[in-house]
Amino acid sequence: MADQLSTQYSTLSKRVTGLMSRAHSDLADLVSLPSVHIDPDKRDDCRASAAWVRGAFADAGIETQVYDTVDGSQAVIGHRPGPPGSPTVLLYSHHDVQPAGPEDLWNSPPFALTTHDGRWFGRGAADCKGNVVAILTALRSFAALPALGIRVVIEGSEEAGGEGLDQLARRQPDLFDADMILICDTGNVAPGVPTLTTSLRGVAGVKVSVETLASEVHAGQFGGAAPDALAALIAGLATLRDADGNTTIVGLPASQSWPGATYDPLQFRSDSTTLDGVDILGSGTPAEMVWARPAVTVIGLDAPNTDDCVAAINPRASAMLNLRVPPGVNPGVAALALEGHLHKHIPWHAKVQVDTVMTGAPFAADTSGPGYKALTEAMGKAYRAEVVHSGQGGSIPLCTVLAEICPRAEIALLGVEEPNCRIHAPNESVDPDEISKTALSLALFLATYTVDA
C-alpha cells in the first residue's frame, strides 16, 4: 500500500497542481451563480448551478442526472460503475449556499470570486462550492478513472436542512449505495492540518412564545404590577445557562469529554471573533464545549425594536432557540427537555407555548474500517502531516440517513473548510491550497482504496 501510494503521489500531485488554474475558473463560475435555495427569487440561479455541476461532472467522466426533489431543489446525482467485485465510493457535496446578507459588510461583491492575500473570496467559496471543485479536480487528475465504482451526489438544499435529498435517499436508496461515503462538507482544524470529522452534533429548533396581557398597556399607568411578557421570556431564557455559560437544561447531560484533537483557547478566541476581554463560555475545554456537549443559543427574538418601541408593557414575546446535541443524545428527547425546562422556569404563570420546528440527528463515525485506513494514509501523504480527528458543532442530518439506508458503508467527513473561511458570514473565503490538498487526498484515496485495504 505504501509503495503504491508513493507511486500515485508522484503523478497525481503534479496533475492536481496543474489543474489549479482550472479550479479557480470553475469556482469563479460557480460562485457567480447565487444558488440560495431559500430565496424564491434565486430559483433560476439554483437551476443554473445544478446544470453547471451536471455538465462539469460529465466532463470529468461521471454522467449525472438532475433530480427535482420534494423541497423544490435540484440534486445532481451520477454513477460510474466499477468492474465486478470492486468497491464503490460515493462523493458528496452541495451546490446551494447561504444568503450573502448585507452586501455593505463584504469587502468585495459576494457573488464574484475575488483574490486577496492569497485567498479566494465569495459566497460558497468554501461552503460548499470549494468542495465541489475539489472533487472535480480530483476526478480530472486521472488520465483514466480508477477501477472502482464512483457515485457523485451534489445536493441542492443542504443549507435549508436537506429535506429533499433525505426523502430521495429513503425513496431510492440504490442511488446512494456504496462501500465508502465521503462527505465533503467539513474541513481542517487549521490550514494545513489534515482532519477527519468523526462527530457531529445534532440539532433541535425550538420556538417559545410567551403571553401575559390581552394588549399593550401604558408602562407608567400599569408598570410594576402588570406582567411584562418580554421580561418573563428573558427570565426564562437566562436559566438556560449558568454563570460560566454551561448549558443547564434540566434532564440534559452537559459534562461530556472530547478524546480527539484539542482546540487551543487562543485559537478558538480568534476563530470565533470573541472580543478582547469577553469570556469564552463553559467549564470545559473549547473542544468539549463545541464538539461534545449540548449548547443552546438564542438565534432570534420577536419583540419591539429599539427604534420603534413605545412606553408600553409588552403583552407577548417569542424567541427562536437553536439547541445542539452531541452523539448519544436524541434531539427529540432533548427538545422535550428544553420544552419542560421553559415551562418550569418562565415566571409569573405566564401563558407559554413551545413548539419544536425541526430536529436533526447527531452522528458518530466508526473509524475502524479499511476505508478510514486508506483515507487516513491518503490524507497524510497529501498533506505530509499526521491526520487528526475533530468534531463539528454543526449537523449534517444526511449522515444519519445514509447510515440507516446503507449500513455497510463507512462514512467519513472532510473538506476545504477551516476556521479562516468564515463560512455563513460576510467575506467567506477559501485557501486555494486547501482545495489542492483536499483534491489530492481524494485522488490518492480513489487510486488506492480496496475493501480489504
Side-chain angles (χ1 to χ4, degrees):
M1 175 72 173
D3 291 342
Q4 183 185 12
L5 198 60
S6 296
T7 300
Q8 293 289 349
Y9 176 86
S10 177
T11 300
L12 292 173
S13 61
K14 293 177 183 177
R15 290 180 177 166
V16 168
T17 299
L19 286 165
M20 286 306 294
S21 176
R22 185 170 187 181
H24 179 273
S25 64
D26 283 346
L27 190 56
D29 288 344
L30 267 178
V31 167
S32 72
L33 299 168
S35 49
V36 182
H37 169 69
I38 63 173
D39 185 347
D41 293 335
K42 299 291 192 295
R43 293 295 165 84
D44 287 344
D45 296 300
C46 292
R47 291 190 177 278
S49 179
W52 188 98
V53 170
R54 180 185 182 185
F57 276 99
D59 177 76
I62 309 292
E63 289 298 327
T64 58
Q65 179 178 339
V66 175
Y67 287 77
D68 289 320
T69 54
V70 295
D71 59 0
S73 68
Q74 292 74 45
V76 181
I77 300 177
H79 181 210
R80 198 292 306 263
S86 65
T88 296
V89 176
L90 188 153
L91 302 167
Y92 164 92
S93 192
H94 64 88
H95 68 92
D96 66 306
V97 297
Q98 284 282 330
E103 291 199 21
D104 59 357
L105 298 179
W106 286 76
N107 297 327
S108 56
F111 295 109
L113 194 68
T114 306
T115 302
H116 181 67
D117 290 338
R119 298 182 68 89
W120 298 345
F121 286 80
R123 174 58 83 224
D127 182 24
C128 205
K129 292 177 175 179
N131 282 307
V132 174
V133 168
I135 295 172
L136 282 168
T137 303
L139 295 174
R140 286 173 173 154
S141 69
F142 293 100
L145 290 174
L148 76 170
I150 299 175
R151 292 189 186 276
V152 169
V153 176
I154 309 298
E155 188 172 4
S157 60
E158 191 276 342
E159 298 292 5
E163 177 188 5
L165 195 68
D166 288 3
Q167 291 198 27
L168 179 63
R170 295 186 186 281
R171 192 170 65 249
Q172 293 185 251
D174 54 299
L175 296 176
F176 302 82
D177 185 59
D179 298 280
M180 185 72 182
I181 298 173
L182 302 184
I183 305 290
C184 297
D185 190 14
T186 59
N188 297 334
V189 295
V193 179
T195 306
L196 286 170
T197 300
T198 57
S199 174
L200 298 171
R201 287 194 298 193
V203 63
V206 173
K207 183 176 182 179
V208 54
S209 301
V210 177
E211 190 170 12
T212 55
L213 304 170
S215 70
E216 290 83 353
V217 294
H218 194 284
Q221 185 177 3
F222 296 101
D228 178 347
L230 182 55
L233 175 62
I234 291 170
L237 296 178
T239 67
L240 295 173
R241 290 182 183 263
D242 64 19
D244 293 323
N246 297 295
T247 294
T248 52
I249 298 170
V250 175
L252 188 62
S255 60
Q256 295 91 329
S257 60
W258 172 252
T262 59
Y263 203 156
D264 179 77
L266 291 178
Q267 186 64 50
F268 178 83
R269 179 177 290 276
S270 173
D271 294 343
S272 62
T273 72
T274 301
L275 299 177
D276 290 344
V278 178
D279 295 339
I280 295 174
L281 301 185
S283 58
T285 66
E288 289 170 335
M289 296 302 295
V290 300
W291 298 335
R293 298 183 181 181
V296 62
T297 302
V298 182
I299 62 171
L301 194 66
D302 289 335
N305 64 59
T306 57
D307 290 334
D308 301 326
C309 60
V310 297
I313 299 172
N314 290 295
R316 64 191 65 84
S318 58
M320 183 65 73
L321 308 180
N322 185 271
L323 176 60
R324 301 287 173 159
V325 297
V329 177
N330 182 297
V333 173
L336 288 175
L338 176 55
E339 178 180 352
H341 182 106
L342 291 167
H343 278 292
K344 181 178 180 180
H345 288 87
I346 292 174
W348 312 328
H349 297 98
K351 305 300 181 183
V352 178
Q353 180 174 337
V354 184
D355 298 299
T356 299
V357 297
M358 60 86 69
T359 60
F363 172 77
D366 179 357
T367 63
S368 62
Y372 261 89
K373 180 177 183 293
L375 183 59
T376 299
E377 292 178 356
M379 292 179 69
K381 189 71 172 179
Y383 280 86
R384 297 187 176 277
E386 183 178 355
V387 176
V388 302
H389 290 178
S390 79
Q392 185 87 351
S395 61
I396 305 177
L398 180 65
C399 290
T400 304
V401 175
L402 294 176
E404 292 174 2
I405 67 171
C406 191
R408 84 171 190 281
E410 298 179 67
I411 301 176
L413 298 99
L414 70 159
V416 305
E417 301 160 29
E418 38 81 18
N420 295 327
C421 292
R422 299 285 187 264
I423 64 172
H424 293 201
N427 300 305
E428 177 182 350
S429 69
V430 68
D431 183 340
D433 197 49
E434 293 296 294
I435 293 180
S436 174
K437 292 295 192 295
T438 299
L440 181 55
S441 297
L442 295 172
L444 288 171
F445 172 76
L446 293 172
T448 57
Y449 170 57
T450 61
V451 288
D452 56 352

